[in-house]
Amino acid sequence: MKHIVAFLLMAFVLLAPHNLLANNPVKPLISPADSLLLREQAQREALFNPLFLDWVFINHNSGNTDTTQSTIWQMRRKVMHDVENTSPDVYRYHYQQLPLYNEIMSHDIRNRSISTLNNDSIVRKSVNEHDRMQQVKAPEASFWSRSMLIQIQGTQNYISPNWYNGGESSLSLLGYVNAQLKYDNKKNIQWENLFEWKEGLNGVKSDSLHHLRVGEDLLKLNTKFGLKAFKNFYYTASLEASTTLFNTYLSNSYERTTAPLSPIRFYGNLGMDYKYKKIVSVMLSPLAYKLVYVNDTTVHPGVSTSVADKVGIPDGQKILHQFGSSLEVKFNYSISREIVLDSKMKFYTNYKGIEWDWEIVGNFIINRFLSARVSLNPRYDSTITTTEKPKIQFKELTSIGFSYKF
């Protein structure tokens, strides 16, 4: 029976360092600063590490004549020394095994050794000058920052044919991706890059030709480089290109308003940008360039108006150049943790007409994966020559659905 007990106890001892001491290992004391942290941790933890419990490692009594007990003790002692030599990081210390605060702070323990409470010197680590904590240089903060917002939202309503107040059922789906990559050296250079993709589908029964139409279609790339002039003002150059990916039609008609990669709008601006924190940006560009390009000028049989006619490009041409001035105002503010207001207003003039576009977006965060979005977009453009008289245009969209930001 004694041999069985001895065997089980030996197995427990061999496995104890791995099974009982795996959580939150503490390295041996190497400096006065480490001593303080080690002592505070030891006071918060249990009295002794299970490796040093009396019923696991009892003090050896040299007068003990029991051969079995003596053999077990020698095996224990050997295991303890093996652990000390091969895996010193598994040791934990009781706070009574560590120096007092005043000794640590006075640095009197540099050439002293720290031992366990028993007299067997199970743990003995010298605190010498060469063991002091090495100075590690903290990594420098990156000047780059990036973010991405993905939203898939939709709206739906059903109205029965005999509804007393009339109306018709509709369905809309909106996908939105906004990715930003920014560089700021905190001194004199700021570089902002934006990728934006917006795609929306809607369907109504009243459109007999198109059961599902493209309502939102935008692919935009924007880059803005700023060199600090003084205070919050930056000399700035910006480039922006935007286009569409699909055909969009008027209701119950084959007349297109856009086509794949038609039109492509390009803007280049040089001027001064005023920035207030990350909330407001006002860029005034005395020199601005606008280009409109249409790749597809074909029309459907029975339709006389092409995409080129819609954007004011003269007959037989695919490209339009204009020079003028522009003003761009951006505003981004978190009203609360759940409500974020984003506003972009762009004003351009070629000194013959004006192009004004203002998009106001309210994001209402419900939880990490669910949000609501309200978008208002008034627009006016008299810089192009068409058969229609310029009027204020307006678009509004309210949706709810999946949203994720990282």
Side-chain angles (χ1 to χ4, degrees):
M1 185 64 181
K2 291 184 178 180
H3 295 287
I4 296 176
V5 173
F7 176 78
L8 294 176
L9 188 57
M10 180 179 65
F12 177 81
V13 170
L14 292 175
L15 296 176
H18 303 283
N19 295 337
L20 298 177
L21 307 177
N23 296 327
N24 302 322
V26 176
K27 294 183 178 180
L29 185 67
I30 61 173
S31 72
D34 288 337
S35 300
L36 287 173
L37 297 177
L38 192 59
R39 184 181 181 88
E40 292 175 358
Q41 182 174 352
Q43 287 178 305
R44 290 194 301 267
E45 293 180 347
L47 289 179
F48 282 91
N49 187 304
L51 184 62
F52 302 134
L53 288 178
D54 292 341
W55 61 274
V56 178
F57 293 113
I58 61 174
N59 291 329
H60 173 56
N61 184 0
S62 58
N64 191 345
T65 59
D66 191 329
T67 304
T68 303
Q69 292 295 332
S70 177
T71 302
I72 294 174
W73 170 246
Q74 291 177 8
M75 295 174 63
R76 293 172 178 163
R77 188 177 181 85
K78 182 179 183 303
V79 171
M80 292 158 56
H81 285 298
D82 288 343
V83 173
E84 178 184 3
N85 295 330
T86 60
S87 303
D89 57 321
V90 304
Y91 284 107
R92 298 192 184 190
Y93 300 91
H94 187 263
Y95 71 93
Q96 294 180 5
Q97 298 170 255
L98 302 176
L100 300 176
Y101 283 107
N102 55 357
E103 293 178 336
I104 295 173
M105 299 308 294
S106 63
H107 292 194
D108 290 339
I109 63 170
R110 290 182 181 177
N111 298 318
R112 297 174 56 188
S113 62
I114 299 176
S115 302
T116 55
L117 288 178
N118 56 39
N119 297 322
D120 294 310
S121 301
I122 298 173
V123 179
R124 184 175 295 276
K125 297 296 176 184
S126 297
V127 185
N128 299 320
E129 188 67 30
H130 68 275
D131 290 328
R132 298 187 67 184
M133 182 183 297
Q134 298 181 0
Q135 297 295 326
V136 179
K137 185 178 180 180
E140 296 182 358
S142 174
F143 296 141
W144 292 93
S145 63
R146 57 184 181 271
S147 65
M148 178 177 287
L149 174 65
I150 299 176
Q151 293 180 330
I152 302 176
Q153 301 178 327
T155 60
Q156 180 270 338
N157 75 309
Y158 171 78
I159 300 176
S160 64
N162 61 344
W163 184 250
Y164 77 101
N165 206 25
E168 60 180 335
S169 303
S170 65
L171 172 68
S172 65
L173 181 67
L174 173 68
Y176 179 70
V177 177
N178 182 300
Q180 299 185 41
L181 178 63
K182 298 181 180 181
Y183 175 87
D184 185 358
N185 67 355
K186 309 300 181 181
K187 294 180 180 179
N188 58 348
I189 295 177
Q190 290 188 356
W191 185 23
E192 303 174 6
N193 299 277
L194 169 68
F195 169 82
E196 189 175 13
W197 183 30
K198 189 188 303 181
E199 211 65 55
L201 300 174
N202 59 70
V204 291
K205 293 183 177 180
S206 60
D207 191 342
S208 59
L209 297 179
H210 314 286
H211 297 291
L212 194 63
R213 294 203 317 256
V214 176
E216 292 275 356
D217 190 10
L218 175 67
L219 181 64
K220 180 190 294 185
L221 294 172
N222 180 279
T223 182
K224 183 166 68 171
F225 180 84
L227 182 64
K228 190 170 185 178
F230 55 92
K231 293 186 178 180
N232 295 330
F233 290 86
Y234 291 79
Y235 299 114
T236 303
S238 71
L239 300 174
E240 179 181 295
S242 63
T243 188
T244 56
L245 301 179
F246 300 97
N247 291 317
T248 58
Y249 298 92
L250 297 178
S251 180
N252 286 309
S253 172
Y254 288 110
E255 182 177 332
R256 295 183 301 174
T257 56
T258 66
L261 302 181
S262 296
I264 296 176
R265 289 184 170 88
F266 175 83
Y267 297 88
N269 303 284
L270 288 175
M272 185 75 73
D273 190 11
Y274 169 80
K275 295 183 177 181
Y276 177 72
K277 298 181 178 180
K278 296 182 179 180
I279 301 176
V280 176
S281 171
V282 181
M283 181 176 177
L284 178 62
S285 303
L287 180 60
Y289 170 70
K290 175 182 176 181
L291 178 147
V292 182
Y293 172 80
V294 173
N295 180 56
D296 188 352
T297 60
T298 62
V299 294
H300 189 277
V303 178
S304 59
T305 305
S306 67
V307 176
D309 297 328
K310 291 288 185 180
V311 295
I313 296 179
D315 293 340
Q317 300 183 23
K318 290 186 175 183
I319 193 168
L320 175 67
H321 301 273
Q322 291 183 350
F323 289 91
S325 301
S326 69
L327 173 67
E328 186 176 14
V329 180
K330 295 182 179 181
F331 178 81
N332 183 277
Y333 183 69
S334 297
I335 300 175
S336 66
R337 293 180 58 184
E338 296 80 16
I339 303 175
V340 180
L341 180 63
D342 188 13
S343 172
K344 300 176 185 178
M345 192 278 291
K346 183 185 298 183
F347 177 87
Y348 167 82
T349 178
N350 61 356
Y351 308 115
K352 295 180 181 179
I354 63 171
E355 179 185 348
W356 174 69
D357 191 295
W358 189 11
E359 184 179 19
I360 307 169
V361 178
N363 283 300
F364 301 85
I365 302 172
I366 300 173
N367 56 40
R368 184 180 180 185
F369 300 106
L370 191 65
S371 71
R373 175 186 174 96
V374 178
S375 173
L376 306 176
N377 189 186
R379 191 176 190 277
Y380 179 82
D381 190 356
S382 62
T383 60
I384 61 176
T385 302
T386 63
T387 57
E388 299 179 1
K389 183 178 179 181
K391 296 179 181 180
I392 293 181
Q393 308 164 36
F394 189 81
K395 181 174 61 178
E396 181 271 338
L397 178 65
T398 301
S399 59
I400 185 171
F402 172 81
S403 177
Y404 185 73
K405 184 176 183 179
F406 55 93

